[in-house]
């Protein structure tokens, strides 16, 4: 792989008309991507989507929006570090200061949209959608014909392995109507960066030992787009090098934020944190946390535990940025050859810490009673919506007339989404139309905010 093609500015379509004078817009193509994202309704909706604590009323607790902004910031910082290293240690006539700037812009944009396809209620929303289809898809019928006789194995597997990462590619390339049917029409360099798993739903191999094979990265509906993207960038079935950086930024942001949010919610104390860290981590991270606490006591700060934890997490973010930079630069050639199978923290100073933070957050926050109750409520909401919406859309766009209630449920779906369905269903086989109608449901539910999904459930069940 080489950087000249990896950060391709190509888009699916151009808005410039024949004969139009050269644009006076001096922004790079990747700077244009940034403004398209910032101005989109899909990005704004992230302010009411769960990061960890669903429907939390505190202004402090993070949402998908604040998380995405943090990932964007970390990703750009990593891009600056790594870009400088490449310039100094891997002389390449095609890699210059402008290319370093482009890499930083791509990473900044990728951080903003890496979670844009996630359904309401966090990662549990993804699990609830997958669980519903695994239990119910084979039971569905279209005019008396079983769905499994109409869909291909890959199309069925798309729903069994539903993935917010794949939905992100679908959303920005089709569902956000900007000028035409190409969605935000972002650059291929950016789109390839957000494809964390360059696999279809039939190519998942969680046991391969390669991080890129754990999940799916695109749906059958975006298969041709995926092929065009990776052919243009030259990444093929390999992970795009910037994807490693994006994932490291995501890990830094959510692993540290989850601890801070859990501490603020009272799920974990300073003493708990020290005790848990000492099980697997030693040296610098422990020393810094204890030093911050001692300093707070010396300065007679009212809440020394909170001071220590918050300041420690800021220091650890810098420590993990250093570790991820080392992870990329020390394996630069292997990454560029598409042969590196691990994340960037593997065998770096930050590896033990990043794992410990994940374990502690899971044990103290993700399995806490408030989270469990909210996840059960979230499952009830998503299950109800799928129970009603899927049978309704399977009657939609058929020659036989729809039932009264099924027609009403279909009309609840955004007219924009229904129009996108008709645009892409034109000329397709009956089976592929059925597949796209099922995608219409997951598009609708994935686009919901937490509050919208909850309110919709309550309204449809007559709950005031």
């Amino acid at each position: 792989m080489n950087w000249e093609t990896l950060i391709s500015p190509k888009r699916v379509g151009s808005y410039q008309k024949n004969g139009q004078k050269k644009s006076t817009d001096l922004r790079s193509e990747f700077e244009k991507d940034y403004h398209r994202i910032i101005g989109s309704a899909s990005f704004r909706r992230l302010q009411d989507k769960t990061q960890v604590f669903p429907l939390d009323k505190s202004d402090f607790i993070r949402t998908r929006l604040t998380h995405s902004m943090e990932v964007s910031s970390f990703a750009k910082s990593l891009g600056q570090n790594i870009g400088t290293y490449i310039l100094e240690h891997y002389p390449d006539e095609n890699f210059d200061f402008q290319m370093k700037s482009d890499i930083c812009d791509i990473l900044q944009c990728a951080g903003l949209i890496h979670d844009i396809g996630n359904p309401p209620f966090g990662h549990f929303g993804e699990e609830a959608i997958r669980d519903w289809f695994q239990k119910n898809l084979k039971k569905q019928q279209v005019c008396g014909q079983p769905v499994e006789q109409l869909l291909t194995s890959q199309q069925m597997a798309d729903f069994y392995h539903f993935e917010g990462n794949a939905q992100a590619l679908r959303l920005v390339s089709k569902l956000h109507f900007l000028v035409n049917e190409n969605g935000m029409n972002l650059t291929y360099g950016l789109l390839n960066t957000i494809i964390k798993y360059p696999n279809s739903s039939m190519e998942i191999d969680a046991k391969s030992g390669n991080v890129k094979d754990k999940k799916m990265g695109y749906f059958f509906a975006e298969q041709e787009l995926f092929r065009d993207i990776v052919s243009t960038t030259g990444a093929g079935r390999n992970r795009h090098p910037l994807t490693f950086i994006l994932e490291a930024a995501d890990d830094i942001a959510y692993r540290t934020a989850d601890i801070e949010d859990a501490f603020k919610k009272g799920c974990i104390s300073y003493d708990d944190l020290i005790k848990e860290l000492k099980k697997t981590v030693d040296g610098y991270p422990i020393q810094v946390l204890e030093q911050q606490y001692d300093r707070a006591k010396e300065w007679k700060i009212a809440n020394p535990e909170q001071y220590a934890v918050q300041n420690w997490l800021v220091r650890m973010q810098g420590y993990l940025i250093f570790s991820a930079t080392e992870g990329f630069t020390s394996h630069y050639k292997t990454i560029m050859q598409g042969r590196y199978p691990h994340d960037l923290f593997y065998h770096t100073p930050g590896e033990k810490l990043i794992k410990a933070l994940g374990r502690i957050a899971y044990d103290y926050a993700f399995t806490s009673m408030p989270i469990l109750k909210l996840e059960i409520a979230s499952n009830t909401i998503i299950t109800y919506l799928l129970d009603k919406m899927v049978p309704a859309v399977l009657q939609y766009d058929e020659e036989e007339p729809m039932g009264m209630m099924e027609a009403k449920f279909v009309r609840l779906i955004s007219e924009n989404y229904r129009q996108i369905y008709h645009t892409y269903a034109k000329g397709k086989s009956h089976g592929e139309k059925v597949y796209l109608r099922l995608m219409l449901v997951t598009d609708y539910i994935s686009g919901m905010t937490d509050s919208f999904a909850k309110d919709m459930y309550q309204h449809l069940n007559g709950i005031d």
Side-chain angles (χ1 to χ4, degrees):
M1 293 183 282
N2 69 81
W3 288 111
E4 193 169 15
T5 57
L6 283 169
I7 58 173
S8 170
K10 177 183 174 180
R11 304 178 191 275
V12 173
S14 171
Y15 302 143
Q16 189 168 344
K17 297 179 181 178
N18 293 332
Q20 183 177 339
K21 292 182 179 179
K22 185 177 180 180
S23 173
T24 56
D25 189 342
L26 300 181
R27 295 174 299 168
S28 74
E29 292 303 312
F30 310 114
E31 290 171 328
K32 293 176 186 176
D33 282 346
Y34 178 83
H35 292 106
R36 292 182 185 196
I37 293 164
I38 290 292
S40 71
S42 303
F43 179 69
R44 291 195 297 276
R45 287 193 197 103
L46 294 175
Q47 67 186 312
D48 188 18
K49 287 199 175 190
T50 293
Q51 177 58 23
V52 176
F53 297 93
L55 301 170
D56 194 274
K57 292 180 170 55
S58 168
D59 289 336
F60 179 86
I61 302 302
R62 288 166 173 83
T63 65
R64 284 284 170 194
L65 180 65
T66 51
H67 166 70
S68 297
M69 293 169 69
E70 290 173 340
V71 175
S72 176
S73 174
F74 290 136
K76 184 172 184 178
S77 294
L78 282 166
Q80 290 169 334
N81 287 356
I82 291 167
T84 298
Y85 182 90
I86 296 171
L87 284 169
E88 293 177 353
H89 296 277
Y90 290 96
D92 182 339
E93 62 181 14
N94 294 317
F95 193 97
D96 54 19
F97 284 99
Q98 180 58 51
M99 196 165 284
K100 173 190 168 183
S101 176
D102 289 342
I103 283 174
C104 290
D105 288 338
I106 290 172
L107 287 166
Q108 184 179 33
C109 291
L112 295 178
I113 61 172
H114 78 286
D115 275 348
I116 204 166
N118 280 37
F121 312 122
H123 288 298
F124 185 78
E126 291 175 287
E127 294 176 15
I129 291 172
R130 287 193 289 264
D131 183 66
W132 190 93
F133 280 110
Q134 288 165 8
K135 291 177 179 177
N136 296 286
L137 185 55
K138 288 186 177 180
K139 301 175 187 177
Q140 306 303 312
Q141 295 189 346
V142 181
C143 300
Q145 188 173 7
V147 163
E148 64 179 326
Q149 293 181 9
L150 296 169
L151 303 187
T152 66
S153 297
Q154 182 178 346
Q155 290 167 346
M156 296 281 285
D158 280 0
F159 299 103
Y160 296 153
H161 300 285
F162 177 83
E163 182 59 47
N165 290 294
Q167 186 67 23
L169 177 63
R170 177 168 173 79
L171 189 152
V172 299
S173 63
K174 290 180 180 174
L175 305 184
H176 180 85
F177 196 91
L178 183 64
V179 175
N180 56 30
E181 68 278 9
N182 296 318
M184 295 184 195
N185 200 12
L186 303 174
T187 58
Y188 278 15
L190 172 55
L191 292 178
N192 204 164
T193 298
I194 67 167
I195 301 172
K196 292 174 68 174
Y197 310 101
N199 314 297
S200 73
S201 55
M202 301 295 289
E203 296 165 333
I204 300 169
D205 185 3
K207 297 180 181 179
S208 74
N210 194 317
V211 67
K212 76 179 182 67
D213 296 330
K214 293 196 307 182
K215 300 177 182 178
M216 64 181 291
Y218 61 92
F219 296 119
F220 171 81
E222 284 69 59
Q223 185 167 268
E224 292 306 314
L225 173 62
F226 168 79
R227 289 172 178 169
D228 191 27
I229 291 169
V230 300
S231 172
T232 300
T233 63
R237 284 286 312 282
N238 303 310
R239 239 190 188 189
H240 193 292
L242 296 185
T243 307
F244 288 96
I245 302 173
L246 173 63
E247 186 170 49
D250 189 20
D251 287 342
I252 295 169
Y254 84 79
R255 296 286 174 93
T256 56
D258 288 355
I259 297 297
E260 186 175 18
D261 288 354
F263 182 84
K264 279 285 187 178
K265 293 286 290 183
C267 299
I268 187 171
S269 68
Y270 169 83
D271 291 334
D272 291 330
L273 182 57
I274 283 282
K275 177 187 71 176
E276 294 297 334
L277 285 170
K278 286 183 176 179
K279 289 180 180 178
T280 53
V281 178
D282 51 26
Y284 179 74
I286 301 289
Q287 293 169 10
V288 172
L289 181 54
E290 292 176 334
Q291 287 169 0
Q292 294 298 320
Y293 180 79
D294 292 341
R295 177 179 297 173
K297 295 288 284 186
E298 180 184 342
W299 291 352
K300 295 182 170 49
I301 290 173
N303 190 337
E305 293 85 359
Q306 179 174 310
Y307 174 91
V309 171
Q310 289 185 312
N311 282 276
W312 176 75
L313 287 169
V314 172
R315 296 280 292 274
M316 291 306 100
Q317 287 168 353
Y319 177 67
L320 291 170
I321 286 174
F322 166 80
S323 294
T325 300
E326 180 182 305
F328 191 96
T329 55
S330 61
H331 298 98
Y332 178 71
K333 290 184 179 179
T334 310
I335 288 171
M336 295 300 288
Q337 292 166 355
R339 296 190 296 109
Y340 188 66
H342 307 293
D343 63 56
L344 295 187
F345 297 105
Y346 182 73
H347 284 184
T348 70
E351 182 179 24
K352 288 182 179 179
L353 177 63
I354 204 82
K355 288 180 178 179
L357 293 177
R359 173 181 56 80
I360 295 167
Y362 179 82
D363 290 344
Y364 283 82
F366 289 91
T367 58
S368 65
M369 191 61 67
I371 293 292
L372 292 175
K373 288 179 179 179
L374 286 166
E375 286 183 343
I376 292 169
S378 303
N379 185 69
T380 300
I381 293 170
I382 289 179
T383 297
Y384 174 81
L385 293 173
L386 287 166
D387 282 344
K388 298 298 182 181
M389 291 289 183
V390 169
V393 298
L394 290 178
Q395 292 188 28
Y396 182 58
D397 199 25
E398 292 286 331
E399 292 182 1
E400 295 184 13
M402 295 186 68
M404 178 188 70
M405 290 306 297
E406 286 77 11
K408 292 181 184 295
F409 273 107
V410 169
R411 286 187 64 81
L412 289 175
I413 299 175
S414 161
E415 183 180 351
N416 178 46
Y417 282 3
R418 282 184 277 135
Q419 183 55 51
I420 288 167
Y421 158 75
H422 286 291
T423 296
Y424 287 98
K426 193 177 298 181
K428 296 292 193 299
S429 67
H430 183 226
E432 194 161 346
K433 287 182 179 179
V434 170
Y435 166 77
L436 291 174
R437 295 205 293 269
L438 290 169
M439 293 296 295
L440 181 57
V441 176
T442 52
D443 290 342
Y444 179 56
I445 292 177
S446 294
M448 293 180 175
T449 63
D450 293 10
S451 297
F452 184 91
K454 175 179 69 73
D455 291 345
M456 177 67 74
Y457 173 81
Q458 290 178 331
H459 289 322
L460 296 180
N461 282 279
I463 303 170
D464 188 358

